[in-house]
Each structure stands twice: as C-alpha cells, then as structure tokens.
Amino acid sequence: MIEIIGFYFFAISSIFLFGVSIFSKKTLYAMTALAGGMIFISGFFFLLNADFIGIVQIIVYTGAVVVLYSFSMMFFDAQVEVNERVRSQKLIYSLSVFSAFLLFLMILTPIVNQNLKTEYAITPKIGNTELFGIIIFTKYLVVFELVAVMLLVAMICGIVLVHKDMDKKEEVLS
C-alpha cells in the first residue's frame, strides 16, 4: 500500500516540478524546479529497491542541473529583483505538511515491517552493482546508448538556444 502512495506522490510531484520547469518564465525558477524533479525521479528507483541507481540519479543528474543552474546565473541576468505574489499561503503550508507526512510514512513503513522476508535474485558470487552492470551492458545496451545520445542532443540544443538568445540581446543593445 505504501508503495502505491509513494508512486503517486513521486509521479505527481515530478510531473508538477517538470511542468514548472517548462512553463516558468524565470530561469532560476525553472532550474530549481528541474533539480527538484530530478530528485523526485530518484524516488522511483528507491521504491523499486534500486538504491544504487537512485543515488546515481541524485549525484549525476541533479549535480548536472546544479552546474546548469550556476551557468544560467552567470549568463542570464540573475541580479534582477523578483517580485513574488503569494496568492494562498495556507495552500502552500498545507501541501508542505502533507508532503512531509507522506515522506515520513514512506520512511517509517520499512522500519515497522522489518519482519517481512523478501527474496531477491542475487547470486552469492556476484554483487548487486556487478549484476546491474552486466544487465545494462548486455540486455539494455541499445537503450543505454539511446539515452546517452538523447542527453547529448538535449545539451547541444540548450547551448544553441542560449546562444540565439544572447545574439538577440546583443542586437538590441547595439
């Protein structure tokens, strides 16, 4: 039951944050939402007992977003004052308390249910990380390479889009 609640929590949170990242007009808001969305995506891996991939997701992808965040602060005008309009603080507080309560339940459930035995397909001579590497580089090699190519194309498109915006600003200033 807690896995279903966790799945829906991470799904709704990550879709919401990625939506904020796409539709936000402020660069820093978009980068913050993108980093939060990547952290919530790692929650799926933790739900599937793939701790190694979850930690790699946090370190690699969220670290890359933080680097992108720092570059965007350098290239875009981050010194501009931001006037925020908070429409409903009660809604923000209630969503924060609800999210904290769900996270608390997800952390507490494995501690309470320690007596449940689950069987994993781990061979005694091969570790979990080694088995993961064997599966990735044999069964899912094409998918792994396609994801790498997609990330490379996304990075190149981001650089081209930023370069076009910088050229437009130079033309306006001239």
Side-chain angles (χ1 to χ4, degrees):
M1 179 66 184
I2 195 71
E3 289 87 9
I4 295 171
I5 294 171
F7 172 78
Y8 285 120
F9 172 74
F10 288 131
I12 291 169
S13 299
S14 59
I15 289 172
F16 173 75
L17 286 173
F18 288 139
V20 168
S21 178
I22 291 170
F23 296 115
S24 177
K25 294 184 182 185
K26 303 286 183 190
T27 307
L28 299 179
Y29 288 167
M31 292 295 115
T32 304
L34 187 62
M38 289 292 180
I39 289 174
F40 279 121
I41 287 292
S42 69
F44 288 115
F45 296 118
F46 290 119
L47 284 175
L48 295 171
N49 292 326
D51 299 334
F52 177 74
I53 303 175
I55 291 173
V56 167
Q57 170 79 22
I58 291 173
I59 292 172
V60 174
Y61 291 114
T62 308
V65 170
V66 169
V67 169
L68 183 66
Y69 190 88
S70 63
F71 279 123
S72 66
M73 286 179 25
M74 288 189 316
F75 289 125
F76 297 113
D77 195 12
Q79 300 296 329
V80 176
E81 288 286 326
V82 177
N83 295 328
E84 294 191 27
R85 295 174 296 171
V86 178
R87 295 185 186 119
S88 174
Q89 286 187 348
K90 290 180 182 178
L91 178 67
I92 293 172
Y93 290 136
S94 60
L95 286 175
S96 299
V97 168
F98 181 68
S99 299
F101 179 70
L102 282 178
L103 284 173
F104 175 73
L105 282 178
M106 282 185 259
I107 292 170
L108 186 66
T109 301
I111 296 170
V112 172
N113 295 329
Q114 282 182 352
N115 56 359
L116 297 176
K117 298 282 184 182
T118 55
E119 297 294 326
Y120 296 106
I122 297 176
T123 56
K125 295 181 182 177
I126 298 176
N128 197 13
T129 307
E130 227 176 313
L131 189 62
F132 172 73
I134 291 169
I135 291 172
I136 281 287
F137 290 116
T138 55
K139 188 175 179 182
Y140 297 108
L141 181 64
V142 175
V143 177
F144 184 74
E145 293 296 326
L146 284 174
V147 168
V149 169
M150 284 175 39
L151 288 172
L152 179 67
V153 168
M155 183 179 68
I156 291 170
C157 290
I159 291 170
V160 167
L161 288 173
V162 168
H163 184 57
K164 284 183 181 180
D165 287 342
M166 291 175 69
D167 287 343
K168 287 180 185 176
K169 286 183 181 179
E170 288 177 5
E171 290 176 5
V172 171
L173 293 175
S174 298

